[in-house]
Amino acid sequence: MLNTPTLDHTLDDTLDVVAKETAARWVDENMPRLSEWHTHIWELAEPAWREFRSAEWYVERLTAEGFTVEAGSAGMPTAFSAEWTHGTGGPTLLTYAEYDAVPGNNQSASVTEDSREGMSRFAPGHTDPHSALGISTLAGLLATKHAMEQHDIAGTLKYTGEPAEKMHGSKVVHGLRGYYDNVDAIVSFHPFYMLPLCNTARWDTQCGAYYSKVYTFVCDEPESWQLSANPNSPIPASHSAARAPGANVALMSMYTSSRIMQDAMLPSFGGWSLSDAILLDGQATADNLPARVARIQYSWRTPNVEMAEHVLAVLDRNAEHAAQIAHCAVDVTWVARSRPGRTNHVMATVLYDNLAAVGAPSYGPEAIGVAQEIQRNLGIEVMEKPFLDECEQLITPQDAEEALREHLAPWQHNWTSDDYVEMTHYAPTVRFYVSRPALKSPAGAGAYPGWVMNALGGIPATIDPTIDVAGKTIAGTFIDLLTKPELVADARAEFDARVAADPMPALLAADFEPPIELPWPDYRTRNDVRSWG
């Protein structure tokens, strides 16, 4: 068994102690199944808003486990909401799955850089990996359910399927539609992705604001300036109209002006970023006519809403002028507009105590052998202990906070971005991390290629310890909250005080519709042959 606390029972043992042992034993006994489930989701690797088979798998699994499941929750085809209740009374606790993969990151679960068989290297792959995020929380959920049944613990478990996390797609919608209402506590998990946040919980510095918006340039009359140039043309639009400005011109004007302006949008410090992506909309061929439609998506991460709004003003202005330059109209579509997160010290303390009881992940001989083979294939001297030391160590939330603050400006209260922040505005929430496998770099060398961490996230020997520790930690935290009403009350009191001190209303309208119909990268299966669609 991995990381299962050894408990010597006495007559003084309390309900939470024995229930936690029951839950941990469930994780141990079901680890082969959990590992298989993870491999399945990791191999599906479906991109944002197109995770149809991944969501279907979760709906079927949860239904089989006795949950009442709503598929397509909040009008999102690849979302779901599941609920299970035991007994009467008790708190309502929530955790969630994510399962979107990232286009352009196709990597096999192997020790060399290689695409999964039969697929383009530009197909999606799990990078964080969200596959492990989902199966870890599912492990904690089902282990808690088992312990509640075995020890007759009352309460309600809620579990949501959150698609399109990479673009903050679903949590803001679930929140606006009331799916987090009447929840007493939320546990948010993510595999470690940056130091010092490894095997710990966030303390004061939560993630910041995230905005994402699509600008669509539409050119209905691109050749209007040429109408009198060739009155004898047998067709309304002369072939020479290809020279006329069109949607692509507007898009490129927007792209270049925003790139030029990027350094002037905000101060160079504060950890903010701006990303862009061109969405193809059936306009990817060169004909003798100018493009009628072109879309570009911008996503930006900032420490606070004020900074995010300033970037928004610059982009909106650039889009307006780019459209005018190219004789186009411009339509806008919000993808996400997330508030900075709220902290909850009560929740962070409860969770970290449970993480400390379980212990950090430990990588055995098989995992070490995999890591050493990767080093050997990269021409790196093989290390006896190839994994980052921090991957097998705990760090308290307070110590992680202190180390994090050393790199941040004093005025900066939030850092980087993740959409769990929306949940923190509906119920007391803790955000925690368990290490995913990461390798030590040789002295004087740079980071490993990106494919290495992606591959390690798909190899059972290296990723299963993450699932084991996170699942047991979530179950232990839930059991504490289910059996100790004072913890729930204290967490709620802290939440209410923080809301009163700093109200932050939602940034999108209650009837906001998720942009599922935009031409997001798709990945379809036809007759068991995988291909881009």
Side-chain angles (χ1 to χ4, degrees):
M1 293 190 222
L2 294 174
N3 300 296
T4 302
T6 300
L7 302 176
D8 296 323
H9 293 309
T10 69
L11 292 177
D12 294 329
D13 279 345
T14 57
L15 177 60
D16 64 300
V17 173
V18 294
K20 288 180 187 181
E21 186 177 50
T22 298
R25 189 183 306 114
W26 186 96
V27 174
D28 287 331
E29 292 173 352
N30 286 273
M31 198 63 220
R33 257 201 328 165
L34 294 167
S35 183
E36 291 175 4
W37 294 350
H38 173 262
T39 295
H40 178 68
I41 298 298
W42 192 86
E43 290 286 352
L44 288 179
E46 298 169 296
W49 294 127
R50 303 294 183 257
E51 317 95 323
F52 294 103
R53 291 188 293 168
S54 300
E56 182 181 20
W57 182 89
Y58 274 100
V59 169
E60 291 177 353
R61 180 75 263 151
L62 288 160
T63 301
E65 297 289 344
F67 283 75
T68 300
V69 187
E70 177 193 358
S73 51
M76 298 178 286
T78 56
F80 64 82
S81 179
E83 186 170 322
W84 176 85
T85 297
H86 183 74
T88 302
T92 298
L93 309 178
L94 184 146
T95 189
Y96 59 88
E98 294 171 6
Y99 31 81
D100 58 320
V102 184
N105 284 271
N106 182 9
Q107 169 61 39
S108 63
S110 62
V111 295
T112 59
E113 184 176 13
D114 187 29
S115 300
R116 300 193 303 285
E117 185 176 357
M119 290 182 280
S120 162
R121 66 190 179 96
F122 300 115
H126 281 287
T127 56
D128 278 339
H130 287 169
S131 51
L133 185 161
I135 299 303
S136 296
T137 57
L138 182 62
L141 181 84
L142 297 182
T144 303
K145 175 178 179 288
H146 176 70
M148 292 170 70
E149 292 172 321
Q150 292 296 307
H151 301 286
D152 196 23
I153 300 172
T156 296
L157 302 179
K158 294 192 72 171
Y159 193 66
T160 52
E162 306 288 356
E165 187 280 333
K166 283 297 184 183
M167 56 182 76
H168 286 220
S170 68
K171 295 186 184 73
V172 64
V173 181
H174 271 147
L176 291 170
R177 297 293 191 279
Y179 283 81
Y180 309 141
D181 292 351
N182 303 314
V183 170
D184 292 295
I186 298 173
V187 171
S188 171
F189 165 66
H190 201 290
F192 144 76
Y193 58 89
M194 56 189 175
L195 296 176
L197 299 176
C198 184
N199 301 316
T200 193
R202 280 188 183 258
W203 193 243
D204 285 322
T205 305
Q206 303 294 324
C207 285
Y210 177 93
Y211 283 29
S212 184
K213 196 175 188 182
V214 173
Y215 296 87
T216 301
F217 298 98
V218 180
C219 201
D220 288 327
E221 299 284 349
E223 71 286 351
S224 61
W225 62 282
Q226 289 186 323
L227 287 180
S228 62
N230 189 358
N232 298 318
S233 173
I235 56 176
S238 166
H239 284 8
S240 65
R243 303 173 187 169
N248 284 348
V249 172
L251 185 148
M252 291 310 299
S253 297
M254 171 73 170
Y255 177 83
T256 54
S257 61
S258 298
R259 282 287 180 177
I260 292 169
M261 285 287 295
Q262 187 164 343
D263 284 347
M265 288 183 186
L266 291 173
S268 58
F269 53 88
W272 70 278
S273 65
L274 176 68
S275 304
D276 50 57
I278 296 174
L279 303 180
L280 301 180
D281 197 15
Q283 301 290 300
T285 60
D287 197 0
N288 62 337
L289 297 174
R292 298 286 299 277
V293 60
R295 302 179 194 264
I296 187 166
Q297 177 192 11
Y298 285 95
S299 301
W300 55 106
R301 307 173 180 217
T302 61
N304 55 52
V305 169
E306 180 185 8
M307 296 174 74
E309 289 289 327
H310 186 78
V311 174
L312 173 63
V314 174
L315 293 176
D316 281 352
R317 185 169 63 242
N318 289 354
E320 178 184 353
H321 289 287
Q324 292 176 350
I325 288 171
H327 202 260
C328 292
V330 59
D331 295 327
V332 296
T333 304
W334 278 105
V335 178
R337 205 172 182 182
S338 300
R339 297 163 280 183
R342 294 190 188 279
T343 200
N344 194 283
H345 288 169
V346 173
M347 289 289 294
T349 300
V350 173
L351 186 132
Y352 184 76
D353 286 347
N354 281 280
L355 175 57
V358 175
S362 177
Y363 301 100
E366 186 179 357
I368 291 172
V370 168
Q372 290 173 335
E373 187 64 22
I374 289 174
Q375 291 179 327
R376 192 175 293 114
N377 291 335
L378 289 172
I380 295 172
E381 184 178 351
V382 171
M383 301 177 187
E384 181 181 356
K385 295 183 176 181
F387 294 100
L388 281 177
D389 292 337
E390 290 87 347
C391 286
E392 298 182 274
Q393 298 171 351
L394 299 174
I395 180 171
T396 69
Q398 294 88 345
D399 287 343
E401 175 74 15
E402 183 178 359
L404 181 61
R405 294 303 313 179
E406 290 179 358
H407 304 283
L408 302 181
W411 57 265
Q412 186 176 344
H413 299 297
N414 301 87
W415 177 61
T416 194
S417 175
D418 192 287
D419 67 345
Y420 82 90
V421 292
E422 278 299 309
M423 291 179 151
T424 70
H425 294 272
Y426 294 92
T429 302
V430 58
R431 172 70 160 187
F432 85 105
Y433 304 88
V434 170
S435 64
R436 55 172 300 180
L439 304 185
K440 294 178 183 175
S441 295
Y448 285 82
W451 69 264
V452 172
M453 285 192 77
N454 294 351
L456 291 171
I459 299 172
T462 53
I463 195 61
D464 284 358
T466 302
I467 298 170
D468 174 81
V469 171
K472 291 173 180 175
T473 300
I474 292 169
T477 303
F478 274 0
I479 289 168
D480 273 340
L481 295 169
L482 288 163
T483 58
K484 300 173 182 176
E486 68 276 10
L487 292 179
V488 176
D490 290 346
R492 173 56 64 173
E494 179 182 352
F495 174 83
D496 291 342
R498 291 184 184 276
V499 171
D502 186 17
M504 281 189 275
L507 299 174
L508 291 170
D511 61 353
F512 169 74
E513 293 292 337
I516 58 178
E517 299 302 329
L518 286 176
W520 305 115
D522 206 349
Y523 186 62
R524 301 191 180 106
T525 300
R526 299 185 184 90
N527 299 322
D528 293 328
V529 177
R530 294 179 173 184
S531 62
W532 280 101

